[in-house]
Amino acid sequence: MLGGVLINSVIMLILYHTSIRAILFIAFNITQGTIFQFWTLGCLRGYGVGTANGALWTIGVMVQCYFVIWILFRLLHKHGVKKWGAALEIGIALNIALPALSGIMPALAHKLLMQIFLPYIWMFILGAFINEFFEQLGKKLMKLWLPLLIASAFFSLTCFDIGRYGICKCLLLGCAVIGFGYSFPKYRSRRIYHMDSISITW
């Protein structure tokens, strides 16, 4: 991660032609290597997509989710659909409720709240749920991956959705990707890079 921060900073200094105060730029790079990746200098909002590395903050959240889902899976493994469904519903409820707290919490406290696993764990629960009941769900997802993908695109394009990052489109897309992956096994070994290209504002 630190290597990525360094490379991004060098490229930014070379390509971005807006003056940046040295002390603030150093502070920004320090935060990019910690848990405060959500902070972006105002003078950098014209670079790329508005953040120097908008996906970087997800690394810490994903590590938390991997740990939490391991615990949840051990607790729920071999339990019925109702308990798994309840866990998924709680996760989705957190995804909807926590962003709404922004109006009653200090801005920094809310930003830190959104850096922990609670709003996002539902996606990992969904994956574990499908894994637990794959015998019942696997063939259905393989048959329905294309309609699921189209439905996800509908919610994405119309912005008719709820929750942080859109629960409907994410849920449908997750199911579509799993269905597609098992329908075309040769693609399952491919690497997927997360925001791997540099966006440059000319």
Side-chain angles (χ1 to χ4, degrees):
M1 184 171 74
L2 293 177
V5 171
L6 179 61
I7 293 170
N8 197 42
S9 297
V10 171
I11 292 172
M12 193 185 311
L13 290 172
I14 294 171
L15 298 175
Y16 193 51
H17 305 296
T18 297
S19 60
I20 308 170
R21 288 179 60 189
I23 188 68
L24 289 177
F25 191 67
I26 292 170
F28 168 74
N29 280 287
I30 290 172
T31 62
Q32 289 290 285
T34 63
I35 62 170
F36 301 101
Q37 296 98 343
F38 57 82
W39 180 56
T40 299
L41 288 169
C43 60
L44 296 179
R45 290 297 182 183
Y47 176 79
V49 294
T51 55
N53 192 339
L56 193 61
W57 68 272
T58 64
I59 296 173
V61 173
M62 285 189 285
V63 171
Q64 295 172 53
C65 286
Y66 288 138
F67 179 72
V68 173
I69 198 62
W70 176 77
I71 296 173
L72 287 176
F73 188 80
R74 288 178 67 88
L75 291 173
L76 294 172
H77 184 49
K78 295 185 179 179
H79 283 279
V81 172
K82 288 185 179 180
K83 288 189 177 180
W84 277 95
L88 183 58
E89 288 171 3
I90 291 170
I92 289 173
L94 288 170
N95 181 271
I96 296 170
L98 294 182
L101 296 178
S102 61
I104 60 174
M105 290 180 67
L108 180 58
H110 189 260
K111 284 186 176 181
L112 289 173
L113 175 65
M114 299 308 290
Q115 303 301 303
I116 63 176
F117 68 91
L118 289 172
Y120 318 103
I121 191 64
W122 76 268
M123 291 180 273
F124 288 74
I125 296 173
L126 174 65
F129 176 85
I130 292 172
N131 178 72
E132 182 76 358
F133 300 101
F134 194 78
E135 278 191 31
Q136 299 95 310
L137 297 174
K139 290 183 179 179
K140 292 179 181 178
L141 293 180
M142 284 186 271
K143 290 179 180 178
L144 297 173
W145 72 265
L146 183 56
L148 289 168
L149 183 63
I150 293 170
S152 176
F154 167 80
F155 283 104
S156 182
L157 294 172
T158 61
C159 298
F160 181 73
D161 214 332
I162 57 171
R164 180 82 162 180
Y165 300 122
I167 290 169
C168 296
K169 70 178 179 183
C170 290
L171 190 152
L172 291 164
L173 181 60
C175 292
V177 168
I178 291 171
F180 175 85
Y182 280 92
S183 296
F184 302 94
K186 65 178 181 179
Y187 294 110
R188 294 213 305 269
S189 62
R190 303 288 183 182
R191 290 183 179 180
I192 300 175
Y193 292 92
H194 189 50
M195 201 172 181
D196 59 344
S197 60
I198 300 168
S199 176
I200 302 169
T201 301
W202 297 95

